[in-house]
Structure formats: structure tokens, C-alpha cells
Amino acid sequence: MALRRQIRVGSQWMYADEAHKALREALRVMEDEKLADAHGGHHLPWIRRYVFSTDHKWIGIQYGVTALVFLLLGFCLMILMRLQLGWPGQAFSIMKVLGESRAPGGVLLPEAYNQLGAMHGTIMIFLGIVPLAVGAFGNYLVPLQIGAPDMAFPKLNMASYWCYFPGGLLMLASFLAPGGTAQSGWTSYPPLSVIASQGQTWWLVGMVFLITSSLLGSVNFIVTIIQLRAKGLSYMRFPFFVHAQFVTSFLLLLAFPPLEAAAVLQLMDRVAGTSFFLPSGLVVSGQALANAGGGNPLLWQHLFWFLAHPEVYVLILPAMGIVAEIIANNTRKPLWGYKSMVFATVFLGFMSFVVWAHHMFLTGMGTTISAFFQTTTMIISIPSVIILSSLFISLWGGAIRFNTPMMFALAFLPMFGIGGLTGLPLGLAATDIHLHDTYYVIGHFHYVVAPGTIFAMFAGIYYWFPKATGRKLNEFWGKVHFWISFVCINGIFFPMFAQGLAGVSRRLYDGGMQYAHAKQIASQTNPFMSICAIGLLAAQVPFIFNFFYNAIAAAAGRRDEGLGSNPWHATTLEWAATTSPPLAHGNFEVLPVVYRGPYEYSVPGETAEFIPQHTPATEPAPRGGALLPATAVAMREN
Amino acid sequence: MTDPAAAVEPGVDIHEHAGIGDPNAHHHSPEQIRREMKVYLAVFAGLAVLTALTVGACYGLNLPVHQAIIVALIIASVKGFLVAGFFMHLLSEKKVIYGILILTVIFFIFLMTLPISHHANPFGS
Amino acid sequence: MDAHAHASVGHAELEIPYNVHPRPDTGLYNGKLGVWLFLASEVMLFGALFSSLILLRTGAESWPRGYEFLNVKLATFNTFILILSSVTVVMAWSHLRLGNLKKGRVYISATVLCALIFLTAKGFEYSHEFQEGRFPKTNNFLAIYFTMTGLHGLHILGGVIVFLYFLGPGAKMWAKEPERYTNRIEIVGLYWHFVDLVWIFLFPILYLM
């Protein structure tokens, strides 16, 4: 047996091989710093580097952490609501956090319930999911996946975040307004919203900030994707995630402005006394309103839903993108029907602009216009089916790896399926008469967004965490997080369909107990659903610990050395960059050139099990099925 | 693929590519630019005349509302075409821009027509 | 981007491709595409207000004709001024393309002057309405009039601020990167023409019908 050589380094004896390893590591660190200096990157002051960063990766992380906190907050509001729904009128000491005016003696008042309801919806959609799906995942991944050094307008990107964050804070601050926060639903229908207390004004101003943030972001995404994609990266070689973000950005760009206009009009009604949305002859609490009248409440509904329908596709498309990436990677085969999925996505985006009045079937529509919107709504279900079916079929014959991201991605498929199918009776006016404004609607959209989009968000976090930090999240606790969440979330939302069919209306502070026809089903299901909600909250605890423990460890420099820069053995360009690419230095030492499609897994005739997109076509595939082939273009491995 | 980020030196640049800052990828000569400037002045004259026409027709002649709307919108569209086509160079723009604008116009038409059609076809009609 | 590119420019910032020179296959530089996308969103913004106007007007029992109390002469003057400002900005850009910063600045200043005249006239108009007891809350015609012209006026103000920036601190860009400066003026010019375009439709619809 050979003795291990020892050498003397300074005053220290070391095993030679260990010394060489240390020396290589030291040289690498020095190279890093030299390159950092060569890039003219005199180290930015802390505030420019971490607060007002213009680097898309850091902005993505800012969006991500902020959005996750808002999501948790919105969820906590819902827990308070579910306590009331499960046990109406009961005192809970936790309710006291809302203050005496909202929950005297720990019993939630109906007005306070309405505040929680309006803010839960607003926070989850505008402060939680859109910033997470588009601001966090979009910002972090799109430039990396297209081989760009950053977004096209880095300063505009920073401005987008710093429009979102104060807007979010203003929304939260509205809880402190006299009379409480917005309480007319996230939909803010007039006349109720116009005569509501001051908090509604703060809500409207907050919305203007949030809409502006989204508009600036969408311009950035579209220009980045069109102009900064790498050489050789044609549109049909994009990872599906990029297509999803591309269409999403167009939806945000063109659908949000009418809501901004509507918000201005409602602000005018509330602050300047105009009557855009107030009809003549309104009487409130026995007193006639002293306004000019002549307005139209339906005008608000048209302008609101003109945005809010495309908005729901903004919520789902990035999620589909994430699920597609994870499925392709964890089945070790290309997506089935990639081309159809892309065209379906574009068609979906286009159609989303002509279906909005299916939210207004019960506003006195004539049969002609109702038929028009029913037709367009039925047509728009087709591209969704194409995308979902393609994802399902993509599983066929795959060598499936059941890791945590894949579990969440797999669960997304039937959950989104249930959400989508339950939308069909809502899109047909005859059945919508019965189901509109009932718990059926709440069940439908929560299935799409909660076990749908949010599960996809979790999947994405587990999947891309190693890219951003160099550590994988703990698999065991990930699976615990998944299973408990999956069971509880179905327990909360599935009974809602039964409630809705039985006629339980939404936005009732007692969950239906005041109505004879609703009382029985409400009392049978609401407590069970509330217990599941508490279970769902408990299930997030291991995730929160897992996330922050590993994020802090990574920030302290404790990376998982065995991981490499491509731990999932993926083909898309973001995995060609180093782990946690350095901030403000571009993402790639040399911008990649793309030679292949996005999902070259198990390519017939090739020895390599997977071939990254930037591998030249002419280079012979590495022999022996090496998992990390060398590339002709100089890529800096970690 | 990526441009060298060399700084442009003003003096040298004028001689090498006649005309700085041409975003449409074919360099215009100074003569072409001066010709364009004459076109702008002609467009201005046209816009001034059309403005006077609008005011004269709708206000001076005191047309009834329905006719006034049609006349005014037609004239405004011509003026808009001139501003967009010449001042904004839309007549010589790239396909990507046309695509985005066509998409926008389609959605704009939805926004203009569908809400009012709801009210033209109320329940029971 | 390689280290040499950075060293020669000496920026601390990252170099983004196609910021100044167009990308060959699209024929566009980034800012141009960006501003057209922004203008598309503005079309939808003002479009929503036009749609609101249509809905409110067709649903109203009575609706005044604008010239019953609005000052058509002043608004006509304003229309000419705004069209003139569109000409001055495109002249500015042309002179910058010819390498003449001085003439460019003269024409940009003329644009700002026109804009300020426009806003001043608007100010007179508004105060006259208020003096006559006509406020946004008086009736829906006035409500939509004040809202649309007010939002339009804010857009003009925004443009003025950006032009002033490029006359002032932003002018330093000309010394180092004249092409980039010219592009920026082109972009602001496109925004400015759009603001003019909105007024071209607003004026007859609000004042003449």
C-alpha cells in the first residue's frame, strides 16, 4: 500500500493531495476576484448590491422572498376566516390580533370578515402569485434560459420591484385606515366600493403602484426575449417556460391598462365626487346620495374583468411553464407535442381577451351577447386541454424520477384538470345561473390556483433552489411538505363544489348558516374544511424551515460541493451557467451559442443520456454515457 | 452577434457612417435626412389644414351630432395616420413593431365594441 | 461579455447587447422596441377611457355638446401648438442625426416651450370652468372631460420632465455616446408623438360634439 505523500506548507504538514486541492481552490477564488476586477466591477456598496440591485437574479430573489411572505400573510388572513366559517360566532383568542374594532372579545364581526375576504384575494393574486410567478421565476430564469447577460433594461427592472414593494406595503397599511381596509371584495364592485370607507382609496392607490410595476416588467420581458436571446436560439428552441413568460408578458402589457383607467375613475368617484359608476337615484341608509348620477356600475365590471380574465392566465401560464420543465427533466424525455403546446399557449393568450363577460352572465345580458361569450369561453378551453394533455402524455414511457419537484409537478396535472373541468358549467350561462357567486366558483378557481399554480411554484422552488444557492432542499421534509399539503388542500376545496351546488353563496360571513337551504351542508362541511386549512398551514412549517435553513447556510458559504452546477442533469441553458452566478457580472463567461432544441434527453442514437442545448451538433457525443459532457464553447464550471 | 461596446467618437463617426443614430439599420445620408425634414414640414401643413377643417365642419357648420362624429373621426384618423406614419416613421418600421401594433388594435377594437354591445342587447330584448 | 469590452468602455455597469446598435434579425435596438410596447399599453389605457366615454354617453339621458361651455378657440390653438411641438421634436432628432447638437437642443427647447404653452392654456381653461361652477362632479360629461384631459396633461408633464433631463444632466451622454443620445431623443419623440396623437382624437370628441 503506497504511503500518502506529505508536503510542508508553511509551518504545516499536509497530505499532498489535500494541499493540491486547497491550492486549486485558492487559485479559483483568486481568478474569481481578478475577473471581478477586470469587469470594472469595483465592489458596489451594499445598498447598490442588495437593496437597489439591477441584477435580474437578485431582483428575482427579492421578488421571491417578498412574494412568499405576502402569500403566507394572505394565507393567515384566510385561516382567520376559516375559523369563523368553521365555528361561526365563536370567540378565538387569535382573532384579537385584528383589534377590538374588528373582533371584540375575539369574535369576528361581519364587516371584518369582509375586509379579510377582500384582502385575502388581493394579496394572494397581486402581491403573492403574480410577483412570484413572473417577478421571481421569470426574472431569475428567463435571461439565463435564453443565454442573456441580464434583462434588456436592468434599471427598469429595479424600478419594477421598487414599485411593487411600496405598493404592497400601502395595501397592508390600508388595514390601519379609519373604518378598516377595503371590504368590497377583491373585485371592488361599485356602488358599494365607491361609498366604502377610506381603506378602499388606499387599495386603489396601491393597485396603481402594482399595475405600474407589472407594466414596466412586461416591457422588459418582451424586449429581453426578442432581442437578447442567444445566437442559434430560435423561437421554437425556447424552453416552454420562456414561451409561457412571453405570452404572459403580453397579457400583462395589454390587459392591465384598462384596470388602471378604471382605478382612476373609481378614485375620481370616491375623491372628486364624480358619478362614473353611480347610477342616479341611489339611496344609502335612507338618505339619497348627493351626486350627479348617470353613471353605470357595469362600466366598472367591464373594465375590471377585461383585465381580470387575462389575469387568471397570467396566474396559470408560468405555472404550466415550470411544470413542463420539471416533467421533461424528470421523465428524461422531450415534451410530447411541444409545438402544439406553443401554438396553444399563443392562441390561449389571444382568446383570453374576448371571454371576460362570462363573469357577467347575470348582469342582464341579452341572449345574443351571452351566446357570443359562451362560445368564446368554450373555445378557450381547447388550448388548455391541449397543454394539459400534452403534459400528461409526456409522462408515457418516461423514466420518471419521483423527487420533490416532480411530486408537486405531477400533482399539478390532475388538480389543474379538476379546476379546468369545473370551469365548464361556469362558462355556460344556463348552469352559471345556478352556480354564479356560490362556493362552486370558489372551489373552481382555488383548484386552479392553489393546488394548481401554488404547487407549481413549490415545484419550481425545489427544482431551482440548487441553481440559486448551491444546495438542495432536504428531500425528506420536501416530501412531508408535499403529502400533507396535497391531502389538506383537497380537503379544503373539494367540499366547496358540493356546497355551491347546494346553493351556499360566497362571501357570507357565517358560511351559509343563516340560510335554511344551506345550513345543513354548511354545518357538515365547514368545520372539516377549516381543520384541513389549519393542517395546510402546519404543512408549510417544514417548508419554511427547509427553505430558510438552506438559504442561510448557502449565504454563509456552505454549499454542497458534490452537487455541481447541473444537479438535475438538465439540458436548458440556465444549468450551463455556474451555480449561483455572480451578481452584476453577467451570467456567462462567454455568451452561449445554441445548437439544439431544449429537451434532448435520451436521444436515439446518441450515447449521452442528455445533451445540453449549447452542445455543438458536430462534436462527437462523449463516450461511455458521461453525464456531464464537455462542450466546445468555453463554459466555466464551478 | 454581440456588438463590441466601443465608444463612438463623434468626429470619426460622421465620416465613416454618414448620419449618426440611424436605428433602422440602413444609414441615411445627410441629403436623405434633409429631404425627410422637408416631408415633416409638408405633413405639418397638412395637419394644420385638417385641424381647421375639423373645427370648421363640426363647430362652424354646426353639424348634427351623428354626422359630426363621423366627419370628426374620419379627419382625426387621417391626421393620426400622418403623425404615426411620418413623424413616428411607422411607414418604414420593422415587422415586429407592426405585429405588436396589429395585436393592440385588435384588442382595442374588442374594448371599444364589446361593452357597448352588452348594452345594445339587454336581457329581454 | 469579454473583459476587453469592459475595459475600453470603463463602465461599472453590465453591457447589454443591442442597446444602441440594432439587432440584425429584428432591425431594432432595445429602446425602440421597448417604447413601442409601452405605447401599445398606453393605447389600451386611453382606449379604456374612450370606451367609458362611449358607454356613459350612449347610456345618458342627456349629454351636452362640448362647445356649449368649453372654449373651442383656446383648444384649437392648443391643438396647433401640440402639432407644432411634434414637428420640433422630429426636427431635433434629424439635426442630432446630422451631428448638430446645438440645433438639436434648440428644437428640443422649442418642444418644451410648446408643451408649457399648452399646459398654461389648459390651466386657463380649467380655472375658467371652476369659476363658472363646473367641476368634475357636476355631470358625467365634465367628469370624463376633466379626467381625460387631466390624464393627458399629466402625460405632457411627464414628457416635459424627460426632455428637460435630456437638455440638462442627460446631455452629457452626447460627448461619450452621441448615437445613444440620438436614439434616446428618438424614443422620447415617439412618446411625444403618441401624446399628440391622443389629443388629435380627444379634441374633436370632447370639444366639437
Side-chain angles (χ1 to χ4, degrees), chain A residues 122-172:
Chain A
T122 307
I123 291 174
M124 294 307 242
I125 295 174
F126 294 110
L127 301 187
I129 298 201
V130 177
L132 184 59
V134 182
F137 283 106
N139 255 318
Y140 195 97
L141 293 169
V142 167
L144 285 169
Q145 283 194 337
I146 63 171
D150 202 311
M151 296 285 260
F153 308 117
K155 289 202 203 92
L156 196 70
N157 208 6
M158 177 194 73
S160 296
Y161 176 78
W162 283 102
C163 239
Y164 155 61
F165 188 55
L169 290 180
L170 185 61
M171 283 284 188
L172 290 187

Side-chain angles (χ1 to χ4, degrees), chain A residues 231 254 258 296 298 302 306 350 353-354 356 363-369 372-373 591, chain B residues 1-2 96 100 103-104 106-107 110-111 114-119 121-125:
Chain A
K231 188 173 174 194
L254 298 174
N296 193 342
L298 288 179
H302 280 297
F306 187 88
F350 180 82
F353 280 90
V354 254
W356 82 85
T363 57
M365 283 178 131
T367 46
T368 315
I369 196 70
F372 172 80
F373 280 107
L591 290 176
Chain B
M1 166 195 73
T2 55
V96 177
I100 291 166
L103 197 66
T104 309
I106 294 174
F107 294 147
F110 291 156
L111 186 59
L114 288 173
I116 192 69
S117 64
H118 177 343
H119 293 269
N121 178 223
F123 185 69
S125 66

